[in-house]
């Protein structure tokens, strides 16, 4: 199945985060629920679900997934779109200022989650989803990503970003790969 090849679950500092290039969330909601049920049977709870290519055309058609709260970016034209679902025990707020840093032709969505850990660091946790449309200039995306990483530096206790960059990392003719990888690495995003 195509979607299983772009599915990624990671456990970061106690957070189970799933990133999924869903290619149509409404059409795959049964698959999502079945997958989450299988994980639940293995005592794995996903704290945050990050979806790209949701293809939602309005907030009203966003499917409910279990008890999760959700935020969505709806692309004004066909295709694309991103969503973040988060368990209800986490208090969060949408960060529209960061969303303004990664904009058309790219898509972004960010939430700040209260950090209620026993650690001294009470800075919030940032969870985001980024999507770069294929065919749009990678240069713009990389410039926006650089601005974003500068803005979030030292402001959060942890940063978790799911992304579909639609960049061929092994293309020898693409000279921006080094710049992209350097940016991500310098800010501990890879």
């Amino acid at each position: 199945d195509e979607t299983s090849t772009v599915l990624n679950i990671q456990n970061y500092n106690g957070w189970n985060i799933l990133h999924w290039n869903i290619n149509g969330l409404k059409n795959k909601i049964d698959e999502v629920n079945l997958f989450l049920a299988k994980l639940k049977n293995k005592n794995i709870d996903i704290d945050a679900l990050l979806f790209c290519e949701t293809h939602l055309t309005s907030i009203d058609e966003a499917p409910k997934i279990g008890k999760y709260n959700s935020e969505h970016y709806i692309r004004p034209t066909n295709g694309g779109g991103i969503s973040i679902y988060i368990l209800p025990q986490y208090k969060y707020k949408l960060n529209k200022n960061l969303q303004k840093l990664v904009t058309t032709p790219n898509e972004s969505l960010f939430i700040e989650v209260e950090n209620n850990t026993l650690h001294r660091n009470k800075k919030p946790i940032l969870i985001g989803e980024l999507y770069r449309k294929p065919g749009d200039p990678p240069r713009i995306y990389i410039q926006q990503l650089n601005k974003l990483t500068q803005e979030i530096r030292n402001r959060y206790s942890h940063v978790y970003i799911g992304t579909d960059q639609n960049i061929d990392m092994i293309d020898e003719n693409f000279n921006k790969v080094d710049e992209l990888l350097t940016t991500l690495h310098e800010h501990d995003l890879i």
Side-chain angles (χ1 to χ4, degrees):
D1 180 78
E2 176 188 335
T3 56
S4 62
T5 62
V6 290
L7 181 75
N8 188 15
I9 300 173
Q10 295 291 324
N11 181 297
Y12 301 103
N13 299 305
W15 280 78
N16 285 320
I17 299 173
L18 174 124
H19 175 259
W20 196 335
N21 182 331
I22 196 71
N23 195 18
L25 183 56
K26 282 191 333 181
N27 299 336
K28 304 247 177 75
I29 195 62
D30 291 339
E31 186 177 337
V32 170
N33 286 322
L34 178 63
F35 185 75
L36 291 173
K38 286 180 180 180
L39 290 174
K40 187 80 167 162
N41 287 338
K42 295 180 180 190
N43 294 317
I44 300 172
D45 288 317
I46 301 297
D47 300 292
L49 305 163
L50 311 177
F51 295 106
C52 62
E53 295 195 54
T54 58
H55 300 180
L56 299 174
T57 57
S58 75
I59 297 291
D60 296 335
E61 72 175 11
K64 183 81 175 126
I65 299 177
K67 296 178 183 177
Y68 289 88
N69 294 319
S70 62
E71 298 292 338
H72 309 274
Y73 171 84
I74 308 298
R75 184 189 290 177
T77 59
N78 290 342
I82 52 182
S83 296
I84 298 175
Y85 287 76
I86 187 163
L87 286 175
Q89 65 258 35
Y90 299 110
K91 293 181 183 176
Y92 75 92
K93 65 181 179 181
L94 191 62
N95 186 321
K96 292 186 178 186
N97 290 328
L98 290 179
Q99 208 168 331
K100 292 174 187 174
L101 295 176
V102 182
T103 60
T104 305
N106 305 301
E107 301 171 5
S108 66
L109 188 62
F110 298 95
I111 61 173
E112 292 180 355
V113 181
E114 278 186 22
N115 188 354
N116 292 326
T117 65
L118 298 175
H119 304 288
R120 282 188 234 151
N121 186 349
K122 292 291 186 181
K123 292 178 183 178
I125 296 165
L126 181 69
I127 298 176
E129 177 68 18
L130 302 175
Y131 179 75
R132 189 188 79 78
K133 291 182 353 187
D136 283 336
R139 176 185 50 77
I140 294 171
Y141 175 78
I142 293 169
Q143 288 171 347
Q144 292 177 352
L145 189 61
N146 275 318
K147 286 180 188 174
L148 173 68
T149 55
Q150 292 300 317
E151 182 68 26
I152 65 177
R153 184 178 213 128
N154 301 321
R155 289 186 47 201
Y156 299 96
S157 62
H158 302 290
V159 175
Y160 308 110
I161 297 178
T163 180
D164 182 353
Q165 300 170 25
N166 284 306
I167 294 174
D168 183 355
M169 297 293 200
I170 58 173
D171 182 353
E172 295 174 7
N173 297 318
F174 181 59
N175 60 4
K176 293 288 186 178
V177 170
D178 285 341
E179 183 180 346
L180 174 63
L181 293 175
T182 299
T183 296
L184 295 174
H185 187 262
E186 283 176 351
H187 299 283
D188 296 323
L189 295 173
I190 57 171

